[in-house]
Amino acid sequence: MTVVKNICCIGAGYVGGPTCAVLAYKCPDIKVTIVDLSEARIAAWNSSHLPIYEPGLDEVVFECRGKNLFFSTDVDAAIQEADLIFVSVNTPTKKTGMGAGMAADLAYVESATRRIAQVAQSSKIVVEKSTVPCRTAQSMRTILDANSTPEIHFDILSNPEFLAEGTAIKDLLNPDRVLIGALQTESGIEAQNALVDVYTHWVPKDRVITTNLWSSELSKLAANAMLAQRISSINALSAICEATGADVDEVAFACGKDTRLGSKFLKASVGFGGSCFQKDILNLVYLSRQLNLPEVADYWQQVVTMNEYQKSRFVRHIISTLFNTITNKKIAVLGFAFKKDTGDTRESAAITLIKDFMQENARVAVYDPKVEAEQIYMDLAEPDVEKKVTICASAYEAAEGADAVVIVTEWDEFRDDQLDYTKIYAGMNKPAFLFDGRLLVDAAKLRKIGFKVSVIGKNE
Ligand code: NAD
Ligand code: UGA
């Protein structure tokens, strides 16, 4: 029976950092070293200002760091020491070459795997933690097998991560399930059991699912595709609501009460963002096309198409409401992160919206409680962006002199019981418009203050 005593995690990002920090927290008998090529990222993990904002993360890291949790740039040493290695590197959508704009770029997975093959001096269990196309483990196996010897053997597991940002620590401490896929060989199953034993330090055994490798890889893409599909479904209905007078919150509530449907992931919005939904669906679309399944590819593609439509529909509505022009008007954008409780901005709807506002020559003022100004400017990456977009220190500052306030991220502090909308209204140009892209505020209450309010999926 293999007992894991020393774990290395390659990739100290949004997944590797929190996942392995919780693992160290729950398994004091295991030494965990998280490594990354980025010196700046590792320095931040070793500082008092962690590189990622996640509720509860600081407590977990500060409790274990220096005891059984270490952050390092010495990738080779950590690989050599470990019995089990998580590969938790980024797998972005390819920008150029074959499959550009659709397929996952597996260059980072490949280089991490090659590094393991080159420097390992003993047998290892190598765990795919990154989200990858179905059958990636086969490529990793080919690289590792080419470097194995009678003394050094590699087993490969797939253990996709299902945490959501903003609730990562909660999700990791109490996951709905942990999924571990392995080749159904004697040594594959032994490696699978070794990882099961790590997770059952804190996860009830009936929530640790074991499957074959390919089911595990595909389940991750499938789960993200189905979650995003629900959002695109409710967003498609939000357009019908606006045209008919149905209320999308009421429709979601009524549908969600059906236990076969369930109530989660039915919140209409300005469009889903985040680093994974779009990337993973495009990945599934690409895989389907490669497998010569064009109808399947078209089906999943529509989830992304609907998301793009939702964003552009919202922008068009704002412009038409503001008398068909926003040139020189000031638009206050509340929120830049792709969801609340994270500083992550990857694929945030705010980026698309603000770029569209800039195209129309509006003056944009942005406030987000957790996103730094440099990050916002980097994401907008347009010439003269600093002249067109101002980053503000509060919602009040952003709304001062604005023609419209647009709620893009559902931060609690933008709720009408937390933000003083009377004060916001007083500082705005009149008529003062408010566009709620998150169904966050009580529109009737704000109308009483004097705002002209538009809410996604409502036509009041
Ligand atoms: P990230 O970009 O935040 O982190 C990846 C890290 O890997 C970076 O810091 C990078 O420097 C490092 N890296 C890349 N190549 C390396 C190498 N060869 N050696 C050492 N370090 C290397 O990415 P992330 O958000 O943590 O996502 C990682 C994977 O997890 C992706 O496949 C993603 O799809 C998946 N995932 C992400 C989330 C999420 O919420 N962000 C959730 C579930 C799954
Ligand atoms: C998502 C999945 O929820 C995780 O299970 C998965 O591990 C992760 O992707 C991943 O693979 O990266 P994440 O993107 O962090 O997690 O956050 P979500 O809570 O899923 O939100 C994604 C986007 O959908 C956000 O922009 C959010 O505002 C939006 N959303 C979510 C809605 O518009 N409506 C909803 O009802 C739910």
Side-chain angles (χ1 to χ4, degrees), residues 161-165 220 224 227 231 265-267 269 271-273 276-277 280 338-339 410 438:
E161 186 47 61
F162 295 102
L163 68 80
E165 289 177 30
K220 173 63 197 177
N224 273 0
L227 288 168
I231 304 170
F265 270 71
L266 283 181
K267 187 80 185 168
S269 67
F272 61 73
C276 293
F277 278 172
D280 294 347
F338 80 96
K339 64 186 280 196
E410 73 284 22
R438 291 291 186 166

Side-chain angles (χ1 to χ4, degrees), residues 53-214:
Y53 171 69
E54 264 303 331
L57 177 65
D58 287 14
E59 289 82 341
V60 170
V61 170
F62 298 154
E63 169 71 27
C64 313
R65 201 173 59 190
K67 290 184 191 154
N68 69 327
L69 175 65
F70 302 90
F71 295 92
S72 165
T73 49
D74 194 346
V75 178
D76 294 0
I79 291 174
Q80 281 164 356
E81 265 189 18
D83 326 303
L84 183 145
I85 302 165
F86 285 108
V87 177
S88 189
V89 299
N90 36 329
T91 51
T93 305
K94 269 184 90 171
K95 289 207 173 84
T96 54
M98 209 169 75
M102 300 291 287
D105 182 350
L106 295 175
Y108 304 98
V109 172
E110 182 176 333
S111 82
T113 310
R114 284 186 185 277
R115 200 73 214 148
I116 297 169
Q118 276 161 18
V119 305
Q121 290 164 355
S122 59
S123 294
K124 313 281 175 200
I125 300 173
V126 179
V127 185
E128 237 180 29
K129 182 55 107 177
S130 300
T131 303
V132 289
C134 193
R135 291 203 76 87
T136 300
Q138 185 60 46
S139 319
M140 292 172 77
R141 218 166 112 82
T142 309
I143 295 170
L144 293 169
D145 278 355
N147 290 273
S148 62
T149 62
E151 295 77 44
I152 307 181
H153 168 79
F154 298 101
D155 281 296
I156 300 180
L157 300 176
S158 157
N159 171 222
E161 186 47 61
F162 295 102
L163 68 80
E165 289 177 30
T167 53
I169 300 301
K170 202 166 120 276
D171 297 344
L172 289 163
L173 290 172
N174 187 22
D176 285 348
R177 78 320 207 170
V178 167
L179 178 58
I180 305 174
L183 274 189
Q184 298 302 294
T185 58
E186 198 181 318
S187 102
I189 290 169
E190 189 175 332
Q192 194 171 36
N193 288 335
L195 187 55
V196 170
D197 288 346
V198 171
Y199 278 109
T200 49
H201 275 68
W202 79 97
V203 180
K205 198 155 187 175
D206 60 356
R207 285 200 230 154
V208 182
I209 304 170
T210 53
T211 64
N212 81 31
L213 261 180
W214 323 121

Side-chain angles (χ1 to χ4, degrees), residues 281-334:
I281 295 170
L282 293 176
N283 208 322
L284 199 59
V285 172
Y286 187 70
L287 180 74
S288 309
R289 293 216 190 284
Q290 277 190 320
L291 296 170
N292 199 21
L293 301 168
E295 289 81 1
V296 179
D298 292 348
Y299 175 77
W300 289 114
Q301 174 67 50
Q302 197 55 28
V303 175
V304 175
T305 305
M306 182 54 61
N307 199 49
E308 292 305 312
Y309 168 71
Q310 186 73 347
K311 288 185 269 186
S312 60
R313 203 170 73 76
F314 190 55
V315 170
R316 280 201 307 274
H317 175 67
I318 292 171
I319 296 171
S320 71
T321 309
L322 289 173
F323 317 111
N324 286 317
T325 175
I326 56 171
T327 299
N328 277 328
K329 289 183 181 158
K330 182 175 174 188
I331 313 279
V333 173
L334 301 191

Side-chain angles (χ1 to χ4, degrees), residues 330 396-403 405 420-430 432 451:
K330 182 175 174 188
Y396 303 110
E397 187 189 329
E400 186 61 39
D403 296 277
V405 165
D420 182 348
Y421 278 95
T422 306
K423 183 171 163 187
I424 296 254
Y425 180 77
M428 288 177 67
N429 274 346
K430 308 296 181 309
F451 283 102

Side-chain angles (χ1 to χ4, degrees), residues 247-266:
D247 176 321
V248 77
D249 266 342
E250 292 180 353
V251 173
F253 183 75
C255 293
K257 276 289 176 193
D258 185 326
T259 51
R260 293 169 304 173
L261 291 170
S263 59
K264 294 182 182 162
F265 270 71
L266 283 181

